[in-house]
Amino acid sequence: MKIHEYQAKGILAKYGVAVPKGEEAATFEDAIAVVRKLFAEGAPGVVVKAQIHAGGRGKGGGVKVAKTREDAELHSKNILGMTLVTHQTGPQGQKVQRLLIEETAAIERELYLGIVLDRTEGKLVFMASQAGGMEIEEVAAKTPEAIFKETIDPAVGFGAWQARKLAFALGLKPTQINHAVTFFQSLYKAFIEADASLLEINPFITTTDGGLFALDAKMTFDDNALFRHPDIKALRDVAEEDPLEVEASKYALNYIKLDGTIACMVNGAGLAMATMDIIQYAGGSPANFLDVGGGATQEQIEHAFEILLSDKNVKAIFINIFGGILRVDRLATGVVAAARNLHVNVPIVLRLEGTNVEEGRKVLKESGLNFQVGATMKEAAEMVVAAAAGA
Ligand code: GDP
Ligand code: MN
């Protein structure tokens, strides 16, 4: 689960991480009030920041600095409601429904900090770089030596010595080292206690008077641990998520929208991956990843169908089921009911195997609906690719 910058800063502040003074605003009236308050409290200027679940906002025109109240109000008016396009939103962009308005900081240097899971090592890695304020993916690709890394032993935790090594690598002043060590350790503590899966401070800044601040903050969480954190779970903003994915999550379906034309309905994540591969292999492209789970009910299957069909790009549906806990006849009954109720008008190709497969085939045949059934996974994939191509 992703959250907004202002929410991440709220969490980090509780751990003693320094963030600029500011508040979020969801309406223009709120924005005016925050701007007035910050200037009244002596801010030399404010920065108006679009709150969307994507980075690259600065380049896309979603982060504007203002020296006066009038300018700040103008920026708020322009950014609130705009469709912000960044390299992370895709060409359709994301509508800005919220702002974060903060006091400006006297930036001296822009640095980078990040904590991610290194899947090869099976450990967390704390990263730091002097190349802050830029796209870290680009830095990693072009000048990987510019990123310093400390791998964290889960049994020992993030050592002060490691934090110190990174602080020196960033070229911080001797007087800032101890402060930086505390800062980095607080980030690590927040990451662990919140069951985060990613934490990124880009830029992490030094100010002209020697201070250290998190000027931007990105935090994502492990969905499987959210049950332990009702306060974090409450930060979810479904307006930022793909509507079909939100719908799928209501029925405990693991659905990820992709941009191909062949919808897939599969039970089990491994089979779903293999199905996407074989569609690709047969010359097609999957419209989604969908795992209905091992024990899908007829109701879930109907909802899954609805979700697949609401995707306008879908030209054919491939149902690939290995009946284990989910009996094939029960699936077939669900598919027939859904196809009838929803007036499905795209070709459906099935590949069925496992428990009660004969009964399942019978249900399909007796339905009188036009299903194509492939004998093997490969044959079914070829059939569905041909069907999607209009053959
Ligand atoms: P992102 O583009 O989505 O990563 O948004 P950021 O929060 O990182 O902001 C982008 C850039 O705006 C930063 O790298 C800074 O250069 C600039 N910026 C953000 N806040 C301030 C501020 O308070 N003062 C100044 N001068 N620049 C800022
Ligand atoms: Mn940033």
Side-chain angles (χ1 to χ4, degrees), residues 134-193:
M134 297 183 229
E135 271 169 56
I136 200 67
E137 290 81 3
E138 208 177 309
V139 179
K142 288 186 187 153
T143 47
E145 68 282 359
I147 302 176
F148 308 104
K149 294 178 181 169
E150 283 297 321
T151 302
I152 302 168
D153 185 326
V156 182
F158 180 54
W161 60 278
Q162 294 182 293
R164 201 167 297 117
K165 239 168 103 180
L166 291 173
F168 277 109
L170 287 177
L172 295 175
K173 295 174 185 142
T175 50
Q176 290 172 321
I177 300 293
N178 284 343
H179 183 186
V181 168
T182 319
F183 196 108
F184 300 173
Q185 285 181 312
S186 303
L187 290 178
Y188 176 72
K189 191 160 191 272
F191 184 103
I192 295 294
E193 289 184 4

Side-chain angles (χ1 to χ4, degrees), residues 5 49 55-58 63 110 133-134 200-203 215-218:
E5 174 194 4
K49 309 183 78 176
R57 297 162 301 164
V63 178
E110 294 198 23
M134 297 183 229
E200 202 169 48
I201 308 297
N202 189 19
L215 206 65
D216 189 8
K218 177 176 175 177

Side-chain angles (χ1 to χ4, degrees), residues 91-357:
Q92 78 288 354
Q94 181 73 37
K95 192 169 178 218
V96 181
Q97 318 211 33
R98 234 162 256 285
L99 301 172
L100 170 62
I101 304 175
E102 290 181 333
E103 179 174 2
T104 46
I107 303 175
E108 182 194 42
R109 295 176 67 206
E110 294 198 23
L111 308 167
Y112 171 92
L113 298 175
I115 308 176
V116 289
L117 175 66
D118 180 335
R119 290 177 190 279
T120 327
E121 287 273 340
K123 289 176 184 151
L124 292 177
V125 54
F126 201 120
M127 300 186 291
S129 175
Q130 301 202 16
M134 297 183 229
E135 271 169 56
I136 200 67
E137 290 81 3
E138 208 177 309
V139 179
K142 288 186 187 153
T143 47
E145 68 282 359
I147 302 176
F148 308 104
K149 294 178 181 169
E150 283 297 321
T151 302
I152 302 168
D153 185 326
V156 182
F158 180 54
W161 60 278
Q162 294 182 293
R164 201 167 297 117
K165 239 168 103 180
L166 291 173
F168 277 109
L170 287 177
L172 295 175
K173 295 174 185 142
T175 50
Q176 290 172 321
I177 300 293
N178 284 343
H179 183 186
V181 168
T182 319
F183 196 108
F184 300 173
Q185 285 181 312
S186 303
L187 290 178
Y188 176 72
K189 191 160 191 272
F191 184 103
I192 295 294
E193 289 184 4
D195 284 313
S197 51
L198 176 137
L199 171 56
E200 202 169 48
I201 308 297
N202 189 19
F204 160 57
I205 60 155
T206 65
T207 57
T208 47
D209 58 1
L212 302 174
F213 288 91
L215 206 65
D216 189 8
K218 177 176 175 177
M219 236 177 151
T220 59
F221 302 90
D222 181 347
D223 291 353
N224 293 322
L226 283 174
F227 74 98
R228 302 205 285 206
H229 308 282
D231 48 334
I232 294 172
K233 205 173 169 182
L235 301 178
R236 183 169 174 199
D237 183 355
V238 291
E240 294 288 320
E241 297 175 22
D242 185 287
L244 292 180
E245 292 182 13
V246 173
E247 190 64 16
S249 70
K250 283 190 206 156
Y251 306 107
L253 299 164
N254 292 310
Y255 171 89
I256 313 272
K257 191 178 154 17
L258 302 169
D259 41 19
T261 57
I262 300 172
C264 315
M265 179 163 359
V266 187
N267 66 329
L271 188 58
M273 300 290 273
T275 303
M276 298 193 304
D277 280 352
I278 205 158
I279 287 173
Q280 204 93 37
Y281 188 71
S285 62
N288 66 279
F289 168 96
L290 172 64
D291 170 16
V292 297
T297 63
Q298 186 170 323
E299 199 201 351
Q300 272 179 308
I301 289 163
E302 283 205 42
H303 287 301
F305 246 105
E306 270 174 48
I307 289 161
L308 295 183
L309 291 168
S310 348
D311 178 350
K312 300 278 165 291
N313 295 333
V314 167
K315 299 269 184 295
I317 299 177
F318 184 11
I319 302 178
N320 187 6
I321 298 290
F322 185 84
I325 300 169
L326 172 63
R327 289 167 13 219
V328 174
D329 56 332
R330 195 209 284 175
L331 170 99
T333 311
V335 168
V336 169
R340 281 223 175 87
N341 293 345
L342 304 166
H343 308 290
V344 179
N345 53 6
V346 294
I348 300 176
V349 177
L350 297 100
R351 176 262 178 177
L352 304 167
E353 217 48 80
T355 316
N356 291 4
V357 66

